[in-house]
Amino acid sequence: MCYLHAFEIQTKTTMRNLSWGQTKNSLLDRIIEKLRHNKILKHVKKGVVILDLGCGYNANLLNYLLRKKIIETAFGIDLSVNKSSRNIRLIKGRSDKEIQLPTESFDVITGLALIEHVKYPEIMLKEAYRLLKKNGILLLTTPSYISKPILEFLAFRLKIISGKEIADHKRYYDRISLKNDLVKAGFKPRKITVKYFQLGFNLLVIAKK
């Protein structure tokens, strides 16, 4: 393991082609996902146009916000996606490549438990900055570096969370390294908040354009 702009892990994993939720997830995986959704809920104002990067096969976050009547129009992108609906347009693609959507299109962009998986996080963050409207908000969550042994224990020893997901982690962050990457993508330091939650095992980003 080496220290670059984050705590990066050198792996020989092949490029994944399945999205979160495309295969069955454990009960604990689903509970943790729900906790992430609840964590960002208060930052998503009613009526915003939202893009969820790494939305998962069934776009669970977007459908959750739709059921709560917080959003009316939403977009999601992931490696593999289910059918779009009248209110939610799902796009098959990668979040760390150029996204074929117009500049300054979204009030809110989310990426929950995503940045630790992508090959090119710097491209993902730059695309998020480009796609946000002025004063738009980027909301990210990612495991902190101290969570690595805990996640691996839960996945590989107890087998109560997805081992494939944990094995696909390419990096872990702390507050400073994550903020530095956001600044490199174009966000102003004074408009970035990075804080720990869940006893320091996860990080929440609230970055305003």
Side-chain angles (χ1 to χ4, degrees), residues 80-132:
S80 183
V81 291
N82 210 334
K83 293 180 180 179
S84 296
S85 66
R86 184 170 63 89
N87 300 90
I88 299 174
R89 179 187 168 192
L90 298 181
I91 302 165
K92 182 178 179 180
R94 286 174 51 181
S95 298
D96 60 346
K97 283 191 170 183
E98 183 178 351
I99 299 170
Q100 299 302 311
L101 290 169
T103 298
E104 297 188 353
S105 294
F106 299 98
D107 303 296
V108 176
I109 295 178
T110 53
L112 308 188
L114 172 66
I115 196 169
E116 66 271 18
H117 292 280
V118 301
K119 188 173 182 180
Y120 303 109
E122 66 281 1
I123 295 177
M124 180 192 124
L125 294 176
K126 286 179 180 178
E127 278 295 277
Y129 186 83
R130 178 183 71 82
L131 291 168
L132 277 174

Side-chain angles (χ1 to χ4, degrees), residues 185-202:
F187 291 92
K188 300 292 188 293
R190 62 185 175 83
K191 294 186 176 183
I192 301 170
T193 300
V194 183
K195 55 187 177 182
Y196 292 104
F197 68 102
Q198 291 177 346
L199 302 176
F201 292 123
N202 282 281

Side-chain angles (χ1 to χ4, degrees), residues 1-10 170-172:
M1 186 167 69
C2 61
Y3 186 92
L4 297 173
H5 60 80
F7 298 83
E8 297 202 354
I9 302 166
Q10 305 303 315
K170 297 174 178 62
R171 67 193 60 79
Y172 290 85

Side-chain angles (χ1 to χ4, degrees), residues 39-169:
K39 190 67 183 175
I40 62 100
L41 188 59
K42 67 181 180 180
H43 301 289
V44 182
K45 305 302 181 184
K46 190 170 183 178
V48 298
V49 179
I50 186 171
L51 168 66
D52 187 21
L53 302 175
C55 63
Y57 186 70
N58 292 306
N60 292 339
L61 172 63
L62 299 181
N63 280 293
Y64 173 66
L65 293 171
L66 192 64
R67 288 194 303 272
K68 292 279 188 180
K69 298 183 179 179
I70 295 172
I71 61 169
E72 296 179 359
T73 304
F75 291 72
I77 182 170
D78 214 324
L79 300 172
S80 183
V81 291
N82 210 334
K83 293 180 180 179
S84 296
S85 66
R86 184 170 63 89
N87 300 90
I88 299 174
R89 179 187 168 192
L90 298 181
I91 302 165
K92 182 178 179 180
R94 286 174 51 181
S95 298
D96 60 346
K97 283 191 170 183
E98 183 178 351
I99 299 170
Q100 299 302 311
L101 290 169
T103 298
E104 297 188 353
S105 294
F106 299 98
D107 303 296
V108 176
I109 295 178
T110 53
L112 308 188
L114 172 66
I115 196 169
E116 66 271 18
H117 292 280
V118 301
K119 188 173 182 180
Y120 303 109
E122 66 281 1
I123 295 177
M124 180 192 124
L125 294 176
K126 286 179 180 178
E127 278 295 277
Y129 186 83
R130 178 183 71 82
L131 291 168
L132 277 174
K133 297 177 182 177
K134 186 177 180 181
N135 296 318
I137 296 175
L138 174 65
L139 300 170
L140 302 178
T141 67
T142 188
S144 69
Y145 74 95
I146 65 170
S147 72
K148 182 177 184 291
I150 304 297
L151 293 174
E152 291 177 348
F153 181 76
L154 294 174
F156 306 131
R157 294 292 296 275
L158 298 185
K159 301 185 186 300
I160 56 175
I161 61 174
S162 171
K164 288 183 178 180
E165 290 293 325
I166 302 308
D168 189 55
H169 285 186

